[in-house]
Amino acid sequence: MGKVTVFVDRLWTLVHSVEFETGAWTGDGSEFEVFHKKSFEEAISENFTCSLKTFKRQLYFYGFQTSDYRGKTWKFSHPNFKRNCPHLLERVKRQQIVSSTQVGKKRKLQLLASPGGKITDSSVSFKPSRPGERRKARTMIMIEDIKEKLSQSLDDLKRNICETLPSGSSCPSSLEEFDKLLLPLHDPDD
Protein backbone atom coordinates (compact mmCIF):
# COMPACT_ATOMS: atom_id res chain seq x y z
CA MET A 1 0.00 0.00 0.00
CA GLY A 2 1.30 3.46 -0.91
CA LYS A 3 1.81 6.33 1.43
CA VAL A 4 -0.91 8.85 2.17
CA THR A 5 0.32 12.45 2.23
CA VAL A 6 0.13 14.47 5.43
CA PHE A 7 -2.43 16.88 3.97
CA VAL A 8 -4.77 14.09 2.83
CA ASP A 9 -4.38 12.23 6.13
CA ARG A 10 -5.25 15.37 8.11
CA LEU A 11 -8.16 16.11 5.77
CA TRP A 12 -9.55 12.60 6.29
CA THR A 13 -9.23 13.06 10.06
CA LEU A 14 -10.86 16.50 9.85
CA VAL A 15 -13.95 15.39 7.92
CA HIS A 16 -14.47 12.54 10.37
CA SER A 17 -14.06 14.70 13.46
CA VAL A 18 -16.23 17.75 12.74
CA GLU A 19 -19.67 17.98 14.28
CA PHE A 20 -22.61 17.12 12.02
CA GLU A 21 -23.84 20.71 12.28
CA THR A 22 -20.53 21.87 10.77
CA GLY A 23 -20.33 19.47 7.83
CA ALA A 24 -21.02 15.95 6.59
CA TRP A 25 -20.65 13.60 3.65
CA THR A 26 -23.37 13.87 1.00
CA GLY A 27 -25.83 10.98 0.69
CA ASP A 28 -23.75 9.03 -1.85
CA GLY A 29 -20.47 9.75 -0.01
CA SER A 30 -18.80 11.39 -3.02
CA GLU A 31 -18.62 14.94 -1.61
CA PHE A 32 -18.12 16.59 1.74
CA GLU A 33 -20.53 19.42 2.39
CA VAL A 34 -19.79 22.25 4.81
CA PHE A 35 -22.90 23.66 6.47
CA HIS A 36 -21.38 26.13 8.91
CA LYS A 37 -18.46 28.10 7.48
CA LYS A 38 -17.27 29.68 10.74
CA SER A 39 -17.10 26.35 12.62
CA PHE A 40 -15.32 24.70 9.70
CA GLU A 41 -12.77 27.52 9.56
CA GLU A 42 -12.05 26.94 13.27
CA ALA A 43 -11.58 23.21 12.63
CA ILE A 44 -9.23 24.02 9.73
CA SER A 45 -7.14 26.37 11.84
CA GLU A 46 -6.81 23.67 14.54
CA ASN A 47 -5.89 20.85 12.14
CA PHE A 48 -3.95 22.72 9.47
CA THR A 49 -2.94 25.99 11.13
CA CYS A 50 -4.00 27.94 8.03
CA SER A 51 -6.84 30.08 6.75
CA LEU A 52 -9.80 28.86 4.70
CA LYS A 53 -8.28 30.53 1.63
CA THR A 54 -5.00 28.59 2.05
CA PHE A 55 -6.94 25.39 2.74
CA LYS A 56 -8.92 25.83 -0.50
CA ARG A 57 -5.65 26.41 -2.38
CA GLN A 58 -4.31 23.13 -0.98
CA LEU A 59 -7.48 21.34 -2.09
CA TYR A 60 -6.92 22.73 -5.58
CA PHE A 61 -3.27 21.58 -5.61
CA TYR A 62 -4.45 18.07 -4.74
CA GLY A 63 -7.01 18.03 -7.55
CA PHE A 64 -10.17 18.54 -5.50
CA GLN A 65 -13.21 20.15 -7.05
CA THR A 66 -14.88 22.80 -4.93
CA SER A 67 -18.12 24.72 -5.12
CA ASP A 68 -18.52 28.25 -3.89
CA TYR A 69 -20.82 28.96 -0.99
CA ARG A 70 -24.31 28.93 -2.38
CA GLY A 71 -26.62 30.03 0.34
CA LYS A 72 -25.08 28.46 3.41
CA THR A 73 -23.24 25.38 2.10
CA TRP A 74 -19.94 24.65 0.37
CA LYS A 75 -18.77 21.30 -1.07
CA PHE A 76 -15.49 19.70 -2.06
CA SER A 77 -14.81 16.38 -3.77
CA HIS A 78 -12.15 14.23 -5.38
CA PRO A 79 -12.56 10.93 -7.28
CA ASN A 80 -10.34 9.20 -4.69
CA PHE A 81 -11.68 10.91 -1.57
CA LYS A 82 -14.93 9.16 -0.70
CA ARG A 83 -16.76 8.15 2.47
CA ASN A 84 -15.84 4.61 3.65
CA CYS A 85 -12.98 4.36 1.10
CA PRO A 86 -9.74 5.06 3.00
CA HIS A 87 -7.91 2.64 0.67
CA LEU A 88 -8.24 5.25 -2.11
CA LEU A 89 -6.47 8.00 -0.15
CA GLU A 90 -3.00 7.01 -1.36
CA ARG A 91 -4.11 7.95 -4.88
CA VAL A 92 -4.74 11.56 -3.90
CA LYS A 93 -1.46 13.25 -4.78
CA ARG A 94 -0.34 16.84 -5.01
CA GLN A 95 -0.35 17.85 -8.65
CA GLN A 96 2.69 19.29 -10.34
CA ILE A 97 1.98 22.89 -11.17
CA VAL A 98 4.18 24.38 -13.87
CA SER A 99 4.84 27.95 -12.90
CA SER A 100 5.57 30.77 -15.29
CA THR A 101 9.07 30.89 -13.76
CA GLN A 102 9.71 27.26 -14.78
CA VAL A 103 8.46 27.97 -18.30
CA GLY A 104 10.69 31.06 -18.35
CA LYS A 105 13.76 29.01 -17.38
CA LYS A 106 13.11 26.54 -20.18
CA ARG A 107 12.69 29.37 -22.67
CA LYS A 108 15.89 31.00 -21.37
CA LEU A 109 17.78 27.72 -21.96
CA GLN A 110 16.46 27.56 -25.51
CA LEU A 111 17.50 31.14 -26.10
CA LEU A 112 20.92 30.54 -24.54
CA ALA A 113 21.52 27.69 -26.92
CA SER A 114 20.78 29.83 -29.97
CA PRO A 115 23.73 31.34 -31.85
CA GLY A 116 24.68 35.00 -31.65
CA GLY A 117 26.06 37.41 -29.08
CA LYS A 118 23.04 39.01 -27.48
CA ILE A 119 19.94 36.91 -27.29
CA THR A 120 16.72 38.77 -27.88
CA ASP A 121 13.16 37.66 -27.96
CA SER A 122 9.94 39.63 -27.94
CA SER A 123 9.65 38.99 -24.19
CA VAL A 124 13.27 38.30 -23.17
CA SER A 125 16.57 40.05 -23.60
CA PHE A 126 19.53 38.18 -22.19
CA LYS A 127 23.28 38.13 -22.66
CA PRO A 128 25.20 35.26 -21.03
CA SER A 129 27.14 36.54 -18.05
CA ARG A 130 29.66 33.71 -17.75
CA PRO A 131 31.81 32.04 -20.40
CA GLY A 132 30.53 28.60 -21.21
CA GLU A 133 26.94 29.35 -20.20
CA ARG A 134 25.73 29.07 -23.81
CA ARG A 135 27.65 25.83 -24.32
CA LYS A 136 26.19 24.40 -21.11
CA ALA A 137 22.66 25.29 -22.23
CA ARG A 138 23.22 23.71 -25.64
CA THR A 139 24.63 20.59 -23.98
CA MET A 140 21.65 20.31 -21.65
CA ILE A 141 19.23 20.56 -24.58
CA MET A 142 21.25 17.98 -26.54
CA ILE A 143 21.15 15.60 -23.57
CA GLU A 144 17.35 15.97 -23.32
CA ASP A 145 17.04 15.29 -27.07
CA ILE A 146 19.28 12.21 -26.80
CA LYS A 147 17.29 10.89 -23.83
CA GLU A 148 14.06 11.31 -25.81
CA LYS A 149 15.52 9.54 -28.86
CA LEU A 150 16.91 6.69 -26.72
CA SER A 151 13.57 6.23 -25.04
CA GLN A 152 11.84 6.10 -28.44
CA SER A 153 14.45 3.62 -29.77
CA LEU A 154 14.01 1.41 -26.72
CA ASP A 155 10.23 1.42 -27.20
CA ASP A 156 10.69 0.52 -30.88
CA LEU A 157 13.10 -2.29 -29.97
CA LYS A 158 10.68 -3.71 -27.40
CA ARG A 159 7.85 -3.59 -29.92
CA ASN A 160 9.99 -5.35 -32.58
CA ILE A 161 11.05 -8.08 -30.13
CA CYS A 162 7.47 -8.67 -29.05
CA GLU A 163 6.34 -8.95 -32.68
CA THR A 164 8.93 -11.68 -33.35
CA LEU A 165 7.96 -13.85 -30.37
CA PRO A 166 6.10 -17.09 -31.15
CA SER A 167 2.34 -16.81 -30.89
CA GLY A 168 1.06 -17.46 -27.39
CA SER A 169 4.22 -16.01 -25.82
CA SER A 170 3.75 -13.04 -23.56
CA CYS A 171 5.72 -9.90 -24.20
CA PRO A 172 8.17 -9.02 -21.40
CA SER A 173 7.08 -6.03 -19.36
CA SER A 174 10.35 -5.11 -17.65
CA LEU A 175 13.98 -4.70 -18.69
CA GLU A 176 14.93 -7.67 -16.50
CA GLU A 177 12.49 -9.89 -18.39
CA PHE A 178 13.93 -8.67 -21.70
CA ASP A 179 17.44 -9.50 -20.43
CA LYS A 180 16.34 -13.05 -19.56
CA LEU A 181 14.78 -13.41 -22.99
CA LEU A 182 17.89 -12.15 -24.82
CA LEU A 183 20.52 -13.82 -22.60
CA PRO A 184 20.42 -17.18 -24.46
CA LEU A 185 21.07 -15.30 -27.71
CA HIS A 186 24.30 -13.78 -26.34
CA ASP A 187 27.46 -15.67 -27.31
CA PRO A 188 30.17 -15.17 -24.62
CA ASP A 189 32.92 -15.97 -27.20
CA ASP A 190 32.11 -12.84 -29.24
Side-chain angles (χ1 to χ4, degrees):
M1 188 161 132
K3 187 174 179 173
V4 177
T5 65
V6 173
F7 175 79
V8 174
D9 185 50
R10 286 183 183 175
L11 180 60
W12 186 257
T13 302
L14 171 71
V15 299
H16 289 90
S17 65
V18 296
E19 298 291 326
F20 182 77
E21 294 79 25
T22 302
W25 290 100
T26 56
D28 64 358
S30 65
E31 296 178 299
F32 190 81
E33 188 169 6
V34 177
F35 306 123
H36 193 266
K37 182 180 175 183
K38 187 79 171 161
S39 298
F40 194 71
E41 283 183 273
E42 289 171 9
I44 290 171
S45 65
E46 290 171 13
N47 287 282
F48 293 95
T49 61
C50 67
S51 67
L52 180 62
K53 184 177 177 180
T54 304
F55 176 77
K56 281 184 171 183
R57 190 177 312 123
Q58 284 296 319
L59 288 175
Y60 171 75
F61 287 149
Y62 278 86
F64 281 81
Q65 300 293 316
T66 61
S67 66
D68 291 331
Y69 273 100
R70 295 190 202 314
K72 294 187 177 190
T73 66
W74 170 69
K75 296 179 185 179
F76 59 89
S77 64
H78 188 284
N80 296 309
F81 191 83
K82 299 184 181 298
R83 180 183 57 213
N84 300 327
C85 297
H87 61 282
L88 297 176
L89 296 177
E90 66 188 52
R91 296 181 187 173
V92 181
K93 301 287 183 200
R94 186 176 171 99
Q95 299 173 345
Q96 293 294 334
I97 307 296
V98 178
S99 71
S100 59
T101 306
Q102 290 169 315
V103 173
K105 285 180 183 177
K106 183 176 182 181
R107 181 69 182 134
K108 182 178 172 181
L109 271 179
Q110 290 170 338
L111 292 171
L112 272 173
S114 66
K118 187 174 182 182
I119 301 166
T120 58
D121 183 81
S122 60
S123 61
V124 177
S125 177
F126 180 80
K127 184 168 179 141
S129 59
R130 286 179 240 125
E133 197 171 52
R134 184 180 318 254
R135 184 175 52 243
K136 182 179 177 183
R138 280 193 211 121
T139 303
M140 289 173 67
I141 290 173
M142 284 177 25
I143 289 170
E144 289 302 314
D145 289 343
I146 291 169
K147 283 169 52 178
E148 189 175 315
K149 287 176 185 174
L150 282 173
S151 176
Q152 181 62 46
S153 296
L154 183 59
D155 289 343
D156 291 343
L157 180 62
K158 288 177 185 177
R159 190 173 33 260
N160 289 340
I161 289 172
C162 291
E163 288 172 359
T164 60
L165 291 174
S167 62
S169 299
S170 63
C171 189
S173 59
S174 68
L175 286 177
E176 291 80 18
E177 290 176 12
F178 272 100
D179 284 345
K180 289 177 187 174
L181 179 69
L182 298 174
L183 194 57
L185 302 177
H186 176 68
D187 185 0
D189 296 331
D190 285 344

